Amino acid sequence: MTHALLPSGFHDRLPPVADAAARLEARVLEAAHAHGYERVDPPLAEFEAALAHRLKATRAQDAVRFVDPVSQRTLAIRPDITAQVGRIAATRMGHHPRPVRLSYAGSVLRLRAGQLSPERERRQAGCELIGLDTVAAAREIVTVAVEALEAAGVTGISVDFTLPDLLGVLSAGPFPLGEASLDDLADRLDAKDAGGVAAIAPAYLPLIEAAGPFDAAHDRLCAFDAGGALTSRLDGLWKVADAVRGRVVLTLDPTERHGFEYQTWLGFSLFADGARGEIGRGGSYTIVHEDGSEEAAIGFSLYTDAIVAGGGEDARRRLFVPLGTDPALAARLRGEGWVTVAALDAGDTPEAQLCTHVLIDDGVRPL
Amino acid sequence: MTHALLPSGFHDRLPPVADAAARLEARVLEAAHAHGYERVDPPLAEFEAALAHRLKATRAQDAVRFVDPVSQRTLAIRPDITAQVGRIAATRMGHHPRPVRLSYAGSVLRLRAGQLSPERERRQAGCELIGLDTVAAAREIVTVAVEALEAAGVTGISVDFTLPDLLGVLSAGPFPLGEASLDDLADRLDAKDAGGVAAIAPAYLPLIEAAGPFDAAHDRLCAFDAGGALTSRLDGLWKVADAVRGRVVLTLDPTERHGFEYQTWLGFSLFADGARGEIGRGGSYTIVHEDGSEEAAIGFSLYTDAIVAGGGEDARRRLFVPLGTDPALAARLRGEGWVTVAALDAGDTPEAQLCTHVLIDDGVRPL
């Protein structure tokens, strides 16, 4: 082969990874279903204009676009599913009493890879709670995210909280800043650059230290919040973290904003032992309706490929069934949970078929 | 709303249909897994040239295409998954001993709707057995297709067999015909037009009657096959049908060719009670390797949306959990199989949340 089989950023999921990914998503959605989240499955392509209108974290120009020969309008392949779930909640399920609990799983496609990931196609699975972004709503969403990961066998889960509108609240209240300075300050805080922060607005310096293990960071943030501008957020955040305390590692990075630009009061990233980088994220946000009105929502997305890459493989157990075996016997063994691999000609061998067991004289023997 | 939410041919799957579709595919692939079929998950987009090379039943120009800014080559969104599974079997799994058993489920996209279906995005789930198209292989594939449908709760299954290369075999043997006449004859046979068939080649007239319930049609085809050109096919077909006899309704339409143009000796369509039109199809075919060599294969695809549309809805059972309920009690009830829907504020009601039961004094009561 002198050329790549697939374009960069696209890949085949082969056995046993593809099975593991499907199983993971099934368990995640089953755990969410037990909390009342029902699945929606929006289409791969939509009118570009309708999708762009709702896309926030992903730029519409990152989507694969094409002209629809039927409507003569531009369609886009979805670069994100959350925006589609928002569309469904705002339109087809607009009449449904709030809150609406929805779940989803599927592939998203981007024309160009992101800065942090070379992948252009990724699988996402998640939940959206539409109509509320209260502390009670956030407690439920964080609990469902953690339970979904636990149900999928993920261990060593960490939840890293952030307060996406923290700088906005502080600069609109006790520590005024111009718009330009706010962006600069956010950059310097992201970089943990104390000198830079001091040069822009020394009052914000304590925020650099208010990151790390949750309880200590929360304490420092409470001490910093002498003016009380953050009190309701800090109280709420504590209650949200309490919902999963003891089940996960809790951390706080109050000024982390990468990818949280469009979240409202709460954001969180999910990590797990063995997985490199984030395995998911979530937070509160706003849905815009057709008439311009806004609605609060909160949700999370899990990154199937990142989770599967960090997980162990289940051992394969495959039973080779020689030529001439009674089909009823093989059916009975499948009923007992065996994977049966039938010989289809005399040359088939258990080794070629990656079998771990073989049927000899109607008895199961390990190879 | 003055405009359609979605382009024609695309639709949202909403609750409870989206859950039913996901459950169906999970059960189908689980049944196939018990026979040793392991899942592959090829990407949504590929190099157009590589995909077109392997597409047969679907024309490459029906695919959504776009220029990849990374490679500057044309990519296509898959209009079919079977061709991708063939690519994987021929390349990345080319070294794997034959036969290779693979399964898949996913969405396919077409730029234009087909003649028979207005949908431009469809979900497909299926199995491919690569390396063999013998009677033993066909018996296994037909059995797995039927067991997968049964596992998904589909009832009243029919298998309608066809012999895609029948006219080719007969015209190359006992009843010679020119190429042009062969196409005309196939059209007239498809239309069950006795006058038309008689005008082209009267020797083929008995084929019109050799369709219908399997055993009688097979008998008529055997009587027609005086020359013996079809004997091995007819013997094989009988054995394949025998693999699922008694579990399904068996029919035979030996000259049906729509959509079977690229199948080799065997094709079949699947139907079920309550579903309009086909719910799947399968057959034997040929995979072309990079070096031009060919390999026999056989497989089937199920059409998730067609099956779900024909199925009944599972009744929803949702338990409303009032504000202030101990989370441990709700967790215990989920453990017992309940879907719990928590009140998140004082205004929530069981009715608004489509609940069938409510928790009162820690006891479950029907509404």
Side-chain angles (χ1 to χ4, degrees):
Chain A
M1 302 280 296
T2 56
H3 56 273
L5 277 175
L6 293 174
S8 73
F10 294 92
H11 68 283
D12 293 316
R13 294 174 194 86
L14 299 184
V17 171
D19 267 318
R23 203 161 43 233
L24 175 101
E25 289 179 2
R27 287 178 187 166
V28 161
L29 294 197
E30 192 181 347
H33 189 259
H35 284 270
Y37 289 77
E38 295 193 314
R39 184 162 178 156
V40 290
D41 191 10
L44 284 175
E46 299 210 5
F47 290 123
E48 186 206 18
L51 201 58
H53 170 61
R54 297 184 181 281
L55 282 174
K56 288 183 167 174
T58 310
R59 297 174 312 160
Q61 58 265 45
D62 285 343
V64 168
R65 289 173 286 184
F66 60 99
V67 175
D68 176 9
V70 178
S71 64
Q72 298 295 328
R73 292 171 62 188
T74 302
L75 306 191
I77 307 288
R78 63 183 180 203
D80 174 72
I81 301 178
T82 307
Q84 297 186 298
V85 177
R87 174 184 56 73
I88 290 173
T91 56
R92 298 192 53 182
M93 298 184 75
H95 64 287
H96 194 294
R98 270 36 186 167
V100 173
R101 290 172 171 88
L102 299 175
S103 67
Y104 62 87
S107 292
V108 298
L109 204 66
R110 295 181 188 198
L111 193 57
R112 294 177 185 80
Q115 290 175 305
L116 297 176
S117 157
E119 294 306 319
R120 295 197 279 170
E121 178 181 353
R122 305 210 296 182
R123 288 199 63 90
Q124 278 187 354
C127 289
E128 307 298 332
L129 175 63
I130 290 135
L132 283 177
D133 67 353
T134 58
V135 170
R139 283 174 59 96
E140 173 166 304
I141 274 294
V142 171
T143 301
V144 173
V146 168
E147 285 190 9
L149 288 169
E150 287 173 346
V154 176
T155 57
I157 302 166
S158 301
V159 183
D160 186 28
F161 289 100
T162 185
L163 292 170
D165 67 359
L166 180 77
L167 296 185
V169 169
L170 291 174
S171 67
F175 306 126
L177 276 175
E179 184 73 30
S181 307
L182 187 61
D183 280 349
D184 285 347
L185 178 65
D187 278 347
R188 294 302 91 213
L189 283 167
D190 266 357
K192 314 283 178 212
D193 170 8
V197 171
I200 299 166
Y204 287 83
L205 263 177
L207 289 177
I208 290 187
E209 297 301 317
F214 185 84
D215 290 11
H218 191 274
D219 277 354
R220 283 194 291 272
L221 210 48
C222 289
F224 167 72
D225 183 33
L230 301 177
T231 305
S232 70
R233 276 174 177 69
L234 292 173
D235 282 358
L237 179 60
W238 185 266
K239 287 176 186 151
V240 173
D242 245 13
V244 290
R245 187 179 291 279
R247 298 171 86 160
V248 301
V249 175
L250 294 168
T251 58
L252 175 59
D253 191 351
T255 62
E256 166 68 31
R257 57 169 200 157
H258 183 76
F260 291 106
E261 293 85 349
Y262 297 97
Q263 307 287 13
T264 54
W265 76 278
L266 183 73
F268 58 92
S269 296
L270 297 161
F271 300 89
D273 282 355
R276 264 202 333 197
E278 276 186 334
I279 58 169
R281 61 165 53 196
S284 58
Y285 59 98
T286 301
I287 287 177
V288 181
H289 286 253
E290 302 281 307
D291 64 3
S293 65
E294 298 196 335
E295 181 171 23
I298 188 163
F300 69 86
S301 272
L302 303 180
Y303 309 144
T304 307
D305 298 306
I307 301 170
V308 169
E313 285 180 19
D314 290 353
R316 275 198 185 94
R317 287 175 80 243
R318 286 160 64 95
L319 172 62
F320 187 77
V321 177
L323 214 55
T325 302
D326 178 6
L329 174 59
R332 186 165 61 72
L333 290 163
R334 282 192 298 277
E336 293 170 7
W338 281 101
V339 169
T340 64
V341 184
L344 295 179
D345 64 34
D348 266 3
T349 66
E351 292 79 11
Q353 291 299 322
L354 303 177
C355 287
T356 53
H357 294 73
V358 61
L359 197 65
I360 298 177
D361 299 334
D362 294 355
V364 172
R365 311 283 163 84
L367 261 188
Chain B
M1 303 280 295
T2 56
H3 55 273
L5 278 175
L6 293 173
S8 73
F10 294 93
H11 68 283
D12 293 315
R13 293 174 194 86
L14 299 183
V17 172
D19 267 318
R23 203 161 44 233
L24 175 102
E25 290 179 1
R27 288 178 186 164
V28 161
L29 295 197
E30 191 182 347
H33 189 260
H35 284 270
Y37 289 76
E38 294 193 315
R39 184 163 177 156
V40 291
D41 191 11
L44 284 176
E46 300 211 4
F47 290 123
E48 186 205 17
L51 200 58
H53 170 60
R54 297 184 182 282
L55 282 174
K56 288 183 167 171
T58 309
R59 298 173 311 159
Q61 58 264 44
D62 285 342
V64 168
R65 290 173 285 183
F66 60 99
V67 175
D68 177 10
V70 178
S71 65
Q72 298 295 331
R73 292 172 61 189
T74 301
L75 307 191
I77 306 289
R78 63 183 181 204
D80 174 72
I81 301 179
T82 307
Q84 297 187 299
V85 177
R87 173 183 56 72
I88 290 173
T91 56
R92 298 192 55 182
M93 299 185 73
H95 64 286
H96 194 295
R98 268 36 185 169
V100 172
R101 289 173 173 87
L102 299 175
S103 67
Y104 62 87
S107 292
V108 298
L109 204 65
R110 297 182 188 197
L111 193 57
R112 292 176 187 81
Q115 289 175 304
L116 296 177
S117 158
E119 294 306 317
R120 295 196 279 169
E121 177 180 354
R122 303 211 297 182
R123 289 199 62 92
Q124 279 188 351
C127 289
E128 307 297 333
L129 175 64
I130 291 136
L132 283 177
D133 68 353
T134 59
V135 170
R139 283 173 61 94
E140 174 165 305
I141 274 294
V142 171
T143 301
V144 173
V146 168
E147 284 191 10
L149 288 169
E150 288 173 345
V154 176
T155 57
I157 302 167
S158 302
V159 183
D160 186 29
F161 289 101
T162 184
L163 292 169
D165 66 0
L166 180 78
L167 295 186
V169 169
L170 291 174
S171 67
F175 305 125
L177 276 176
E179 184 74 29
S181 306
L182 187 60
D183 280 348
D184 286 346
L185 178 64
D187 278 346
R188 294 302 92 213
L189 283 167
D190 266 357
K192 314 283 179 212
D193 170 8
V197 171
I200 298 167
Y204 287 81
L205 263 177
L207 289 178
I208 290 188
E209 297 300 319
F214 185 84
D215 290 10
H218 192 273
D219 277 354
R220 284 194 292 271
L221 211 48
C222 289
F224 167 73
D225 182 33
L230 301 178
T231 305
S232 70
R233 276 174 176 69
L234 291 174
D235 281 358
L237 179 60
W238 185 267
K239 287 176 186 151
V240 173
D242 244 13
V244 290
R245 186 180 291 278
R247 298 171 86 161
V248 301
V249 174
L250 294 168
T251 58
L252 175 60
D253 191 350
T255 62
E256 166 68 32
R257 58 170 199 154
H258 183 76
F260 291 106
E261 293 85 348
Y262 297 97
Q263 307 287 13
T264 54
W265 76 278
L266 184 73
F268 58 92
S269 297
L270 297 161
F271 300 89
D273 282 353
R276 264 201 333 197
E278 274 187 336
I279 58 168
R281 61 166 54 198
S284 59
Y285 59 98
T286 303
I287 286 178
V288 180
H289 285 254
E290 302 280 307
D291 64 3
S293 65
E294 298 196 336
E295 181 172 22
I298 188 163
F300 68 87
S301 272
L302 303 180
Y303 309 145
T304 307
D305 298 305
I307 300 170
V308 169
E313 286 181 18
D314 289 355
R316 276 197 184 95
R317 287 175 79 244
R318 288 160 65 94
L319 172 62
F320 186 77
V321 176
L323 214 55
T325 302
D326 178 7
L329 173 59
R332 185 166 61 71
L333 290 162
R334 282 191 299 277
E336 292 171 7
W338 281 100
V339 169
T340 65
V341 183
L344 296 178
D345 63 35
D348 267 3
T349 66
E351 293 77 13
Q353 290 299 323
L354 303 177
C355 288
T356 53
H357 294 72
V358 61
L359 196 65
I360 298 176
D361 300 334
D362 294 356
V364 171
R365 311 284 163 81
L367 260 188

